[in-house]
Amino acid sequence: MTDEHSGERIASRDHPVSPDGPRKPALIIFDVNETLSDMSPMARRFEDVGAPAHLASSWFAGLLRDGFALTVVSASDSFARLAQDSLRISLHGQKLDRDADAAVQHIMGGFTALLVHPDVPDGVRALTALGIRLVTLSNGSAAIAEGLLDRASIRGHFEELLSVEDAGAWKPAGRAYAHALVRRDVDPMDAMLVAVHPWDIDGAARAGLGTAWINRNGEPYPGYFRSPDIMATSLTDLADQLHRWTRPTSGGGDGSDQFSDAIRL
């Protein structure tokens, strides 16, 4: 069965990640914001315009909430538009040192200066050395991911930088992951989603992908979400764990034509 938006086939909710147990993925799909990028400097951007630093985290959480809400009702809008409009709401009533439009522009400009977490460059290189293909799939724009990876000198390790804007639905909707699988011609059981967000892990697991949760802060994993296949403290830790996994001698990797038990989301 195909997805209404794009004709892409996706795994069913009861499709096992792998019928023969855990195995090294052929393709890793990376989340970008907070998983690869260190977004802590965004708090300073709020302070720069006269707003409190703590607004950064509540603004970003609200931005994600609204993107998810639109996806639930089969609507979609760009990350940039939602980010800017929600910023104006978050900054309303604050004693800013410039007009609202200039404040929004300054804060949004922070995305173009973010750096990756310290573990990312070595982790990405280690995963590539294992023969695993890498792509990104972000609720944000591919251009932001491009700049981030260029600044870290690791862009060449990624086959493609994907955005949900081309899927018509934000993660964790199933067709967002299906978009990445079809683009790279990989069966869900041969792919793994890597993210710091439990909601992203849960969505990918329900779409039939393997999952790895990067827990840099030692936080507990929510029991109401599907558990990740791997819990790692960094990308280098993830590479070390995957090094002990093996690939099956056959099966998978043939793209949308071999997706079994597909469902419509």
Side-chain angles (χ1 to χ4, degrees):
M1 191 175 294
T2 58
D3 174 76
E4 291 179 348
H5 176 79
S6 61
E8 296 167 353
R9 295 169 68 86
I10 56 179
S12 72
R13 296 179 190 275
D14 58 359
H15 179 62
V17 170
S18 170
D20 48 9
R23 61 190 193 179
K24 187 187 302 180
L27 178 76
I28 283 181
I29 302 170
F30 278 102
D31 174 54
V32 177
N33 290 327
E34 295 186 302
T35 298
L36 296 179
S37 65
D38 177 4
M39 289 188 59
S40 59
M42 294 298 291
R44 177 59 186 271
R45 290 271 169 163
F46 277 77
E47 291 180 321
D48 289 345
V49 302
H54 69 79
L55 276 185
S57 58
S58 61
W59 159 71
F60 189 68
L63 162 62
L64 293 177
R65 176 204 63 210
D66 292 348
F68 300 162
L70 288 175
T71 295
V72 167
V73 296
S74 300
S76 184
D77 211 329
S78 72
F79 181 95
R81 179 177 174 185
L82 265 65
Q84 291 175 35
D85 285 357
S86 61
L87 261 178
R88 290 186 175 88
I89 296 170
S90 295
L91 295 175
H92 180 73
Q94 298 293 326
K95 295 180 179 180
L96 306 177
D97 62 5
R98 65 199 77 187
D99 65 56
D101 287 343
V104 167
Q105 183 178 7
H106 179 75
I107 293 171
M108 289 296 297
F111 280 104
T112 65
L114 293 178
L115 301 177
V116 298
H117 289 284
D119 61 287
V120 169
D122 286 345
V124 163
R125 296 184 185 103
L127 291 167
T128 302
L130 293 177
I132 301 174
R133 300 158 54 195
L134 309 180
V135 299
T136 63
L137 177 64
S138 178
N139 282 340
S141 73
I144 292 297
E146 184 98 39
L148 177 74
L149 299 177
D150 277 341
R151 288 188 292 277
S153 300
I154 54 174
R155 171 63 182 89
H157 292 271
F158 291 81
E159 290 184 358
E160 190 171 10
L161 310 181
L162 302 170
S163 170
V164 301
E165 292 178 9
D166 297 316
W170 283 39
K171 297 181 296 173
R175 69 173 181 255
Y177 307 104
H179 170 69
L181 296 173
V182 172
R183 287 282 301 185
R184 302 322 305 163
D185 195 28
V186 172
D187 189 277
M189 73 171 65
D190 289 316
M192 174 174 282
L193 186 281
V194 175
V196 298
H197 304 115
W199 54 261
D200 208 353
I201 296 297
D202 181 76
R206 292 176 190 276
L209 284 73
T211 56
W213 182 46
I214 307 302
N215 181 13
R216 295 187 177 97
N217 301 319
E219 298 174 349
Y221 189 85
Y224 44 80
F225 284 142
R226 292 196 177 186
S227 298
D229 296 299
I230 293 179
M231 292 189 181
T233 57
S234 65
L235 293 196
T236 50
D237 179 29
L238 172 62
D240 288 343
Q241 293 190 51
L242 286 177
H243 181 69
R244 298 189 291 271
W245 287 24
T246 60
R247 288 283 303 153
T249 56
S250 63
D254 193 30
S256 61
D257 290 342
Q258 293 188 3
F259 291 4
S260 61
D261 301 321
I263 62 169
R264 189 184 303 273
L265 287 187

